[in-house]
Amino acid sequence: MEFATWAYPWDVRDEGIDTVSSRLREIGIGEMNLATNYHSVQAFSPHNPVRKTHFAHASSYFYPDGEYGELRPQPYEGMDEDWVDSIATATDDLKLTSWTIGCHNSRLGMAHPDLTLTSPYDDDLVFGLCPSHPDTQQYLRSLVTDLASRETFDRIELETFDYFYGTGFGWHHQKIHAELGTLGEFLFGLCFCDHCRNIATNRGVDVDRVRRASVKALDDIIAGRLPSDIVPEQWLRQSPEVADYVDVRQRTLTDLYADLASAGGETELGYYVGMPEAGREWMAGADLTQLSDHVDYFCLPAYESSCEDVLRSYRLVDSLDIDVPIHVGLLPGHPAIDDPNTLSRIVDGLREEGVPRVSFYNYGLLPDRSLDWIASAIQ
């Protein structure tokens, strides 16, 4: 079993690249999943010697190169050099993975609201770029091509290279006092931009009927006429036109991933699964059976509090008809795991299942005691 940790470039630089590399080796970790293109964030870093918190708009931590179109990564304003390049140059003894955010980018969304997800109510959901839009697709392909061409990454892991977690909510300080439930949040994030509509229309879907059905269901949930805890799959079975619309966007995403696989060349591609929960990746537009033809592995962030819950999530994904390995991510700290024995049981359980790689979230965010727990669990 291999072990990795997600990490932010500011924590690695502030603590010292050599210091971090040495500490990870002592823990038993041989790989760093480095944030290269990231969403807006405030991160609290308990063992960072320079600062305890980092604020940033959606930013890249490298200077983009190559051919981009309407959309281009926006480098973090606080960089005095290419942070990704400087870390990569100094970490010869660690594998590097590019942890890459795709469509979740409020900075680009605010600047280009015409490229974002459009709710059934015709709201621009500016935290999420729509992967059906040709400009977004070019951006995602260019991002993968750019990162793969640097030859510093063994892998590129793709987060939100999809329809944003299957929900219409992703803004900071969001205010919601209507109980929408899983179905309501999904329907509010179901995109009806011109490109999603046109693609579905060309496949024979009555898009106006789909939008009306989505709005009616949302209105009924808000008014209490439809229970907010209704099972989404059950509702879809009763709304076949919406199910057809969902199927079309799964095909759209599969086609995009074929292009991303070409853009990545020989660099391995991984896709984050389990959002909004394991087994419901269809809400984000992902047909895992089809996507497994175009990626090298899936990574399941199973941020649960018990071995039983982690293994349940893993087995849900593993039971699907897929032909690629499933890697697992763990959160060995607040609010998921609060003692070393639980973490050790989880790691042992995953080892028994034959999981090839476990990543821990997140080097800079975890207190020192959590890093000690990781070392004990590995050993």
Side-chain angles (χ1 to χ4, degrees):
M1 178 180 279
E2 297 179 356
F3 296 98
T5 181
W6 285 283
Y8 294 132
W10 54 88
D11 287 321
V12 176
R13 286 175 54 85
D14 289 348
E15 195 165 324
I17 300 170
D18 291 340
T19 300
V20 173
S21 297
S22 176
R23 189 172 193 186
L24 291 180
R25 288 196 307 273
E26 290 174 1
I27 290 172
I29 290 173
E31 181 177 357
M32 183 189 299
N33 307 330
L34 183 67
T36 54
N37 196 57
Y38 205 63
H39 53 67
S40 298
V41 66
Q42 177 189 358
F44 181 71
S45 305
H47 55 83
N48 186 310
V50 176
R51 51 185 146 183
K52 286 297 182 278
T53 195
H54 172 85
F55 290 91
H57 296 295
S59 302
S60 70
Y61 294 90
F62 65 94
Y63 293 124
D65 195 9
E67 295 294 329
Y68 285 88
E70 185 71 17
L71 298 174
R72 188 178 182 87
Q74 299 298 303
Y76 173 56
E77 295 85 350
M79 292 196 306
D80 53 353
E81 61 178 339
D82 187 312
W83 283 5
V84 169
D85 183 63
S86 66
I87 292 171
T89 301
T91 52
D92 292 337
D93 55 345
L94 286 177
K95 291 183 179 179
L96 272 188
T97 290
S98 174
W99 169 26
T100 315
I101 306 296
C103 291
H104 183 22
N105 194 308
S106 53
R107 178 190 288 208
L108 294 179
M110 288 289 286
H112 303 274
D114 56 314
L115 307 187
T116 61
L117 302 170
T118 303
S119 81
Y121 296 109
D122 203 34
D123 303 310
D124 295 324
L125 305 180
V126 294
F127 57 77
L129 303 168
C130 179
S132 295
H133 199 292
D135 287 343
T136 302
Q137 293 183 353
Q138 181 180 355
Y139 167 68
L140 298 177
R141 288 192 302 267
S142 299
L143 191 56
V144 170
T145 299
D146 192 349
L147 292 167
S149 68
R150 294 166 185 263
E151 300 182 351
T152 54
F153 298 111
D154 294 276
R155 301 177 170 118
I156 298 175
E157 292 190 341
L158 309 176
E159 182 176 351
T160 68
F161 278 65
D162 51 30
Y163 295 89
F164 191 75
Y165 297 151
T167 175
F169 296 93
W171 192 257
H172 304 285
H173 294 289
Q174 58 195 20
K175 304 290 185 179
I176 313 165
H177 293 293
E179 188 174 359
L180 298 180
T182 302
L183 175 64
E185 288 198 19
F186 165 69
L187 290 176
F188 186 64
L190 190 59
C191 184
F192 288 89
C193 73
D194 289 343
H195 291 279
C196 283
R197 293 170 63 94
N198 290 338
I199 293 169
T201 297
N202 290 337
R203 291 187 179 271
V205 178
D206 186 340
V207 174
D208 289 334
R209 185 177 179 185
V210 174
R211 191 192 66 81
R212 288 195 299 269
S214 301
V215 168
K216 183 180 186 305
L218 280 162
D219 289 346
D220 286 349
I221 291 172
I222 293 167
R225 295 186 293 268
L226 184 66
S228 62
D229 61 353
I230 186 171
V231 177
E233 291 84 356
Q234 173 188 336
W235 185 86
L236 276 182
R237 286 193 292 270
Q238 300 166 355
S239 308
E241 69 282 355
V242 182
D244 289 342
Y245 193 77
V246 169
D247 180 67
V248 167
R249 72 179 198 163
Q250 287 182 305
R251 297 190 209 177
T252 300
L253 202 68
T254 298
D255 291 342
L256 172 60
Y257 269 72
D259 292 342
L260 296 177
S262 297
E266 297 301 314
T267 306
E268 285 191 6
L269 294 185
Y271 172 65
Y272 288 108
V273 301
M275 275 76 79
E277 59 187 273
R280 282 183 168 163
E281 290 80 7
W282 61 267
M283 291 186 172
D287 180 331
L288 298 190
T289 300
Q290 297 298 319
L291 290 193
S292 65
D293 290 336
H294 306 298
V295 300
D296 298 283
Y297 65 96
F298 294 132
C299 181
L300 170 66
Y303 299 160
E304 308 290 353
S305 300
S306 71
C307 182
E308 293 75 17
D309 288 340
V310 169
L311 293 181
R312 185 180 300 112
S313 294
Y314 170 77
R315 288 165 180 162
L316 271 172
V317 178
D318 190 45
S319 67
L320 302 175
D321 182 20
I322 56 177
D323 295 323
V324 295
I326 303 167
H327 302 184
V328 174
L330 303 176
L331 173 53
H334 177 78
I337 297 172
D338 59 8
D339 72 278
N341 292 333
T342 296
L343 180 62
S344 293
R345 284 195 298 271
I346 293 172
V347 171
D348 288 344
L350 293 173
R351 184 180 286 111
E352 291 174 6
E353 292 284 338
V355 172
R357 173 172 169 263
V358 169
S359 295
F360 299 99
Y361 190 88
N362 167 306
Y363 175 78
L365 300 179
L366 293 171
D368 287 327
R369 65 173 188 159
S370 290
L371 299 177
D372 292 338
W373 298 351
I374 294 171
S376 296
I378 290 174
Q379 294 165 9

